[in-house]
Amino acid sequence: ILQLRVCDWLYEAQLAHAHRRRLPVEEELTADFYVPAAGLYIECWEAEVATSELTRRLRTREVCRELGLAYLEVAAADMDRIDGLLAGRLGDLG
């Protein structure tokens, strides 16, 4: 449900975005969304995450930080404030 909310928000904001976009590394890593206009990778953290998915998400976070890629985590607890969270982060990136 969280990914659907983020996708809907990006669509309503008329922002081109890709789902399950691969990171620019040789390792097989993806982010839930990529917004090319902002160069932003977005990961959606649902309330419950399987161990294998948790490992992938943590590795994605680590690689984004190492490479200095714009990265945003949206947690299930952020569901009620998605508008402000996404608008603020995208505004920060120009």
Side-chain angles (χ1 to χ4, degrees), residues 1-92:
I1 274 197
L2 183 58
Q3 284 191 29
L4 181 59
R5 289 282 306 271
V6 170
C7 188
D8 286 348
W9 190 94
L10 293 169
Y11 175 80
E12 290 292 325
Q14 298 182 358
L15 290 168
H17 57 283
H19 183 251
R20 289 304 218 177
R21 174 65 181 230
R22 188 168 174 192
L23 272 63
V25 294
E26 290 190 27
E27 194 174 345
E28 290 285 331
L29 286 175
T30 61
D32 291 328
F33 295 98
Y34 177 67
V35 181
L40 176 65
Y41 291 91
I42 302 172
E43 280 285 280
C44 298
W45 289 71
E46 298 288 349
E48 294 188 24
V49 180
T51 303
S52 61
E53 185 66 9
L54 178 61
T55 301
R56 182 197 68 78
R57 290 182 183 283
L58 291 172
R59 181 67 183 139
T60 296
R61 175 197 289 166
E62 179 183 3
V63 168
C64 284
R65 286 183 180 162
E66 287 174 358
L67 297 177
L69 300 174
Y71 174 78
L72 174 65
E73 290 179 356
V74 179
D78 297 325
M79 190 79 91
D80 293 336
R81 60 185 202 101
I82 284 178
D83 289 341
L85 186 68
L86 292 173
R89 182 67 169 125
L90 288 164
D92 291 346

